Amino acid sequence: MKHQREQIPEDYRIMNRTPMTPHMSSLRRGQELFATHCSSCHGVKGKGDGPLAAALDTPPASFLDLSHSDIFGPGEKYWIIGKGIPEAGMPGFEDQIGPADRWHLVNYIDFLQRPLRRQTQGHDH
Ligand code: HEC
């Protein structure tokens, strides 16, 4: 997992939030895009249990496993959604999903994680 991070440009690695405020409209858009493009592998709730997951050599991890998902900050998630992680079977979406919509997706993933962050208060993020 570590070498993947090192391919990500510094500008994206240091971001600690998205440039798009997570208003309801952003989350709705993110949810819609997630259902269309992502849930087949990542599962409707981001648990990594979509119908295509079992066919992959590296199944998608659950976004609800923060110890894994927090390896990638918001800018890094944005970058991964655009470029993919080809060696893991995660496709890049930059031709299909524009920059604003990629940020909406990052906001939506963060939204899925919010209840967990509330449980682990004081969690360093
Ligand atoms: C063909 C299956 C597949 C599809 C479709 C897919 N992914 Fe992935 N994704 C993966 C795999 C495999 C990984 C690598 C294992 C991991 O880290 O979860 C991954 C990793 C990721 C990661 C980094 C890991 C993390 O927990 O932050 C993000 C972010 C991500 N995907 C977002 C998305 C989004 C958003 C979409 C839809 C636009 C999407 N993926 C579509 C298979 C897929």
Side-chain angles (χ1 to χ4, degrees):
M1 208 38 79
K2 199 151 175 257
H3 71 283
Q4 288 161 9
R5 266 203 94 206
E6 281 155 10
Q7 293 168 12
I8 302 177
E10 179 75 16
D11 287 356
Y12 292 101
R13 288 170 60 175
I14 61 174
M15 295 178 75
N16 58 17
R17 60 189 177 88
T18 73
M20 204 77 80
T21 311
H23 291 308
M24 197 53 85
S25 57
S26 169
L27 298 177
R28 281 222 188 87
R29 180 70 184 145
Q31 180 179 39
E32 191 181 297
L33 291 160
F34 195 87
T36 308
H37 299 283
C38 321
S39 62
S40 55
C41 290
H42 286 282
V44 180
K45 301 262 184 230
K47 282 192 193 155
D49 56 356
L52 294 182
L56 297 169
D57 290 339
T58 326
S62 172
F63 291 129
L64 306 184
D65 173 2
L66 296 181
S67 65
H68 176 79
S69 197
D70 281 355
I71 296 171
F72 304 106
E76 293 166 315
K77 285 192 167 63
Y78 171 89
W79 195 87
I80 289 171
I81 296 166
K83 305 284 184 196
I85 310 175
E87 61 274 28
M90 161 76 197
F93 287 90
E94 64 187 351
D95 296 337
Q96 296 165 63
I97 302 177
D101 280 344
R102 275 180 267 150
W103 287 122
H104 294 317
L105 279 164
V106 178
N107 280 345
Y108 181 66
I109 293 170
D110 181 66
F111 170 77
L112 293 174
Q113 296 173 335
R114 267 190 222 166
L116 295 161
R117 295 202 192 282
R118 248 174 250 133
Q119 280 163 27
T120 51
Q121 265 190 1
H123 182 90
D124 188 17
H125 184 56

